[in-house]
Amino acid sequence: MSVRARRAGRLLATAGAGALLAAGLGGAGAAATGTQNADVTVAYQCAFPAGPQHVDVRYRAAFPASAAPGGQVRPGKVTATLTVPRAALADLDAAKVGGTVRVAAQTTQNGTVAKAAWPAFTVDPADVPGDGDVTLTASGQPEAVTAGRTGTLTFGLGGLDLGLAPAPAAGGTEESPVACTPAQGRAGVLAAVPITADGAAPGAAQPPKSTAAVPPGESPPGCQDLKEPGWLISGCVYMNGFANVRKLGGATVLNDPADPAPALTNVEYNIVPNLPTGTGTDVRFRFHEPLRSKASFLTFGFMPTTATMEMEQVGLGTETSAPYVKGQTRQHVQTRMRVTIRLYDVKVNGTPLDVGAGCRSSRPADIELGDAPGADITNIVKGGVLDGSFEIPPFRGCGSGENLDPLFTGSVSGPGNYLKVSQGTICGRAPATCPPAMPELKR
């Protein structure tokens, strides 16, 4: 292979690695039973007879946490939940629909790509509402795969074909075929299974971090006073969520609850009276340590790539809630923070890629979140769900020996990236609120 060809291949792989910043679709965590629970959402463009439509498909399945060379890797039943716009089904003119889903799945190990044997999934009959989205659920059992030599066995998700028809089918009604392709033409990773000589997951297993080790009514060691003058109450809280990248149509988990050491956020807050309508709250917060996310992606449909993304806060964040409105029980909340985004521990097809120690956004990203529609936050201190969009700045300092900044910037940077964050109850004034609990991860 020529020097030019080798360098081109390296740059292509690095471009795919840049896509990992927030397009990691493998939010799978190893469980104590030797399994990892995959939970991935892939965005598709589908060619419905009524016109092209965007369809989100959430895939969930259990996979082995690791396997030995030559051993059988047997996935659990895969469940696919499809969110389909009501307008896409106009041609069916049906009150209830069913059908089949066929997913083009594949496996990759050490550069070898193979088609995965997945059966057609049966769609459970579902009611079609007068407006809004239609939720369809389908499931199927993939066949076992034989692992090759040591490395990583990746299960990838490609396009899918929908076959929908009125349910129950009347008079032999045929399914209406619909072809769907992943948004931006990129496949997603459902799971990555390490293949090791002894069949054990690499590294010493660590139990998930739990507040159970902290006595009730007490704060964990990382719960620290911000020491900002003039603030009434100090405490700490857990936050987690999902970040999407518009360019890539994918999502990655932030501060994954399955992580052995999720990051705390330290807070201080004041109750702000505003009689007679009620009271509001002012909060200042700072991450005790950066929020991290481990992401996986199938570059160009065949090259598994992994990386760690880190959000490090700049200065203090603010969170405010408006006073209660008479007759209502919810509060409107607004959160602002600035973070720098760093990428490291990058591997392409299992081989480390040296992006350097300073591969980060050229400036902080400004993030503004509000109470998510339907979240109904009744008390900012008790927590809730916030969402919003933000711009990912260009990158700098990426690459050791060659400038990889343009590749990461071109793959990831840009506006319109969606962020959804769940905030738990603040451990602060009342002993009953401590230690803080990790909130449920909300999609």
Side-chain angles (χ1 to χ4, degrees), residues 164-330:
L164 300 179
T173 303
E174 294 185 358
E175 295 177 352
S176 176
V178 176
C180 301
T181 56
Q184 307 296 325
R186 298 179 182 272
V189 170
L190 179 60
V193 179
I195 308 302
T196 61
D198 58 1
Q206 297 182 5
K209 185 175 181 178
S210 171
T211 57
V214 180
E218 296 189 12
S219 304
C223 197
Q224 299 173 353
D225 192 336
L226 293 180
K227 301 187 184 304
E228 295 293 317
W231 292 88
L232 178 65
I233 305 166
S234 63
C236 57
V237 68
Y238 279 116
M239 296 190 295
N240 59 42
F242 289 90
N244 282 29
V245 166
R246 182 181 59 83
K247 284 185 177 180
L248 302 165
T252 185
V253 180
L254 290 174
N255 207 31
D256 192 340
D259 190 283
L264 273 170
T265 296
N266 292 312
V267 300
E268 289 185 334
Y269 63 95
N270 282 332
I271 306 299
V272 182
N274 187 19
L275 301 175
T277 59
T279 58
T281 312
D282 280 345
V283 179
R284 297 291 182 269
F285 65 89
R286 179 185 289 127
F287 304 155
H288 179 62
E289 57 185 297
L291 301 186
R292 298 181 179 88
S293 172
K294 292 185 178 179
S296 300
F297 194 70
L298 200 61
T299 311
F300 311 116
F302 67 88
M303 188 177 294
T305 311
T306 61
T308 299
M309 184 262 283
E310 186 175 89
M311 280 189 172
E312 185 173 3
Q313 191 174 350
V314 177
L316 287 174
T318 64
E319 186 174 25
T320 59
S321 65
Y324 288 113
V325 176
K326 186 175 181 179
Q328 295 185 2
T329 58
R330 65 171 294 172

